[in-house]
């Protein structure tokens, strides 16, 4: 017997405003053609001026709770992965806790940028497996439109806003790789790569700042590190790429997604792809893709899924789970 963290609900929310690539042609020296061919992105959603990360997160959380058939007070903990919280403090997670009407348990944010959801899932799994929580709501939510430099064509065309959420529940498994739930995780970071992807501001430097990225350098690290972390996580439970039904990758660039699948020896038919519709939504991209993948009828109970992500830090990792 082994304690497992099993997904019992999933949901997402995207802001109403959809921005096609052609919008950027009006203000920047760029084209729809360049954005599509270099990144795979066709459109993205941007939050309204009065819409914050905790608003998006609350809607995604409500959808995941409804999918699970649970109420807020059935949840013991909320972990919210974000780099774009509403306020310096309190955490966006506690704001969501209040908005859901959840009066017990605890809530906190996790900040690992685009790898945030993988880090949050791993933390939620640790809480459940160690008996500290029975049900954990794990959310990824971002408003990256708030940290774009709208004059920098190499970054501002790539990102979008959105939120996705999962409900994880403690269930008994046999202790084998056939169990449902989270089977393995692999987390990494290397702070020496800070300058490749960062925001040039923050509380202690007294500004909000804008996202700065050496895209082609991050690209190089991504293709090399993502397949490796996915394969490492799979190897922890005696599995390999051949066992995987779905790669649900961080959605930053279709060429990174294709390169990683190729390195893992899997065809694109085994990959959930949403980057064309969402752009890069940082910590929200994996739960968004899980929710959309389920809606499309791609992800089914019993499927073996590997999620993988890399972002600022650099921080990267993977989670293997059976749906
Ligand atoms: O989620 C966190 C992790 N982030 C990522 O994974 C992003 C990783 N990086 C990427 O996705 C890609 O590197 C980009 C999409 C950002 C860029 O693609 P690239 O093939 O690596 O292009 P590049 O940066 O090497 O730039 C090629 C050219 C440059 O022009 P020159 O110097 O060759 O004349 C850029 O100035 O493309 C130019 N360029 C653009 N041209 C038209 C950069 N942005 C644009 C643009 N429109 N929006």
């Amino acid at each position: 017997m082994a304690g497992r963290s099993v997904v019992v609900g999933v949901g997402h929310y995207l802001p109403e405003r959809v921005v096609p690539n052609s919008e950027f042609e009006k203000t920047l020296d760029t084209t729809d053609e360049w954005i599509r061919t270099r990144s795979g992105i066709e459109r993205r959603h941007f939050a309204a001026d009065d819409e914050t990360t905790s608003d998006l997160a609350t809607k995604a959380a409500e959808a995941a709770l409804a999918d699970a058939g649970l109420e807020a007070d059935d949840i013991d903990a909320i972990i919210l992965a974000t780099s774009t919280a509403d306020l310096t403090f309190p955490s966006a997670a506690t704001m969501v806790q209040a908005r859901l009407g959840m009066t017990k348990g605890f809530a906190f944010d996790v900040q690992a940028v685009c790898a945030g959801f993988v880090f949050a899932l791993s933390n939620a799994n640790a809480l459940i497996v160690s008996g500290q929580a029975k049900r954990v709501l794990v959310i990824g939510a971002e408003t990256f439109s708030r940290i774009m430099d709208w004059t920098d064509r190499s970054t501002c065309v790539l990102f979008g806003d959105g939120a996705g959420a999962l409900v994880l529940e403690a269930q008994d498994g046999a202790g084998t790789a056939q169990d449902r739930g989270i089977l393995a995780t692999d987390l990494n970071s290397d702070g020496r790569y800070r300058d490749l992807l960062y925001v040039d501001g923050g509380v202690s430097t007294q500004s909000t700042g804008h996202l700065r990225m050496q895209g082609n350098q991050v690209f190089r690290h991504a293709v090399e590190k993502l397949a490796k972390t996915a394969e490492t996580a799979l190897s922890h439970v005696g599995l390999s790429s051949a066992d995987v039904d779905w790669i649900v990758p961080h959605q930053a660039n279709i060429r990174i997604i294709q390169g990683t699948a190729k390195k893992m020896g899997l065809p694109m038919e085994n990959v959930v792809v949403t980057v064309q519709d969402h752009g890069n939504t940082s910590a929200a991209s994996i739960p968004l893709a899980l929710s959309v993948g389920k809606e499309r009828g791609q992800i089914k109970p019993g499927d073996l899924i590997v999620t993988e992500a890399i972002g600022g830090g650099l921080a990267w990792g993977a989670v293997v789970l059976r749906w």
Side-chain angles (χ1 to χ4, degrees):
M1 290 282 268
R4 295 291 190 196
S5 312
V6 176
V7 177
V8 294
V10 59
H12 71 272
Y13 175 76
L14 288 157
E16 239 169 71
R17 184 175 164 217
V18 179
V19 178
N21 291 345
S22 54
E23 282 278 310
F24 293 101
E25 292 178 346
K26 298 174 191 161
T27 53
L28 292 168
D29 180 16
T30 191
T31 58
D32 171 47
E33 161 78 11
W34 190 95
I35 301 169
R36 270 174 204 261
T37 52
R38 303 314 292 166
S39 73
I41 298 164
E42 298 173 19
R43 59 193 71 80
R44 74 287 289 139
H45 294 246
F46 284 155
D49 287 346
D50 61 353
E51 207 173 22
T52 63
T53 292
S54 70
D55 293 331
L56 311 188
T58 302
K59 287 182 175 146
E62 285 168 348
L65 284 171
D67 187 49
L70 294 170
E71 305 286 330
D73 270 336
D74 296 324
I75 302 297
D76 303 310
I78 299 175
I79 306 181
L80 198 166
T82 189
S83 300
T84 48
D86 303 27
L87 301 174
T88 301
F89 71 77
S91 67
T94 55
M95 295 186 181
V96 173
Q97 182 187 25
R99 295 268 297 277
L100 292 176
M102 182 178 151
T103 54
K104 66 178 183 72
F106 58 95
F108 61 97
D109 289 355
V110 158
Q111 211 271 49
V113 204
C114 296
F117 195 75
V118 165
F119 278 65
L121 270 185
S122 182
N123 275 277
N125 184 49
L127 288 174
I128 286 176
V129 170
S130 64
Q132 292 177 80
K134 190 168 183 299
R135 293 198 192 94
V136 183
L137 187 54
V138 191
I139 311 169
E142 301 277 17
T143 47
F144 260 50
S145 62
R146 303 283 149 75
I147 51 168
M148 290 298 111
D149 173 351
W150 299 111
T151 66
D152 178 8
R153 67 176 184 172
S154 72
T155 54
C156 74
V157 302
L158 301 175
F159 292 88
D161 301 337
L166 297 184
V167 181
L168 292 179
E169 183 179 87
Q171 292 184 11
D172 286 332
T176 72
Q178 293 311 309
D179 288 349
R180 288 187 66 207
I182 294 179
L183 300 174
T185 68
D186 180 57
L187 302 182
N188 310 269
S189 65
D190 190 336
R192 289 173 300 172
Y193 296 117
R194 186 196 96 141
D195 290 347
L196 299 189
L197 179 50
Y198 65 102
V199 170
D200 61 358
V203 183
S204 191
T205 48
Q206 304 185 45
S207 65
T208 303
H210 295 111
L211 182 144
R212 306 292 173 203
M213 178 165 72
Q214 295 177 39
N216 48 11
Q217 294 297 314
V218 178
F219 191 103
R220 198 170 54 78
H221 283 284
V223 174
E224 175 205 315
K225 292 184 166 60
L226 289 173
K228 190 154 175 269
T229 184
E231 280 162 0
T232 300
L234 285 163
S235 72
H236 288 329
V237 277
L239 296 172
S240 73
S241 300
D243 300 302
V244 171
D245 294 302
W246 294 105
I247 304 176
V248 183
H250 171 48
Q251 311 279 325
N253 186 312
I254 190 67
R255 293 183 297 134
I256 294 174
I257 294 171
Q258 289 163 340
T260 306
K262 193 171 171 203
K263 265 188 184 259
M264 291 177 69
L266 286 167
M268 287 302 286
E269 286 72 41
N270 293 87
V271 187
V272 176
V273 180
T274 56
V275 69
Q276 68 281 4
D277 297 325
H278 303 162
N280 181 346
T281 57
S282 189
S285 88
I286 288 175
L288 267 164
L290 287 168
S291 183
V292 169
K294 186 196 167 198
E295 250 178 28
R296 286 179 187 156
Q298 294 176 302
I299 298 173
K300 296 188 196 68
D303 282 354
L304 187 75
I305 295 172
V306 60
T307 66
E308 32 83 349
I310 187 166
L314 296 175
W316 68 100
V319 172
V320 177
L321 66 110
R322 196 174 293 284
W323 195 254

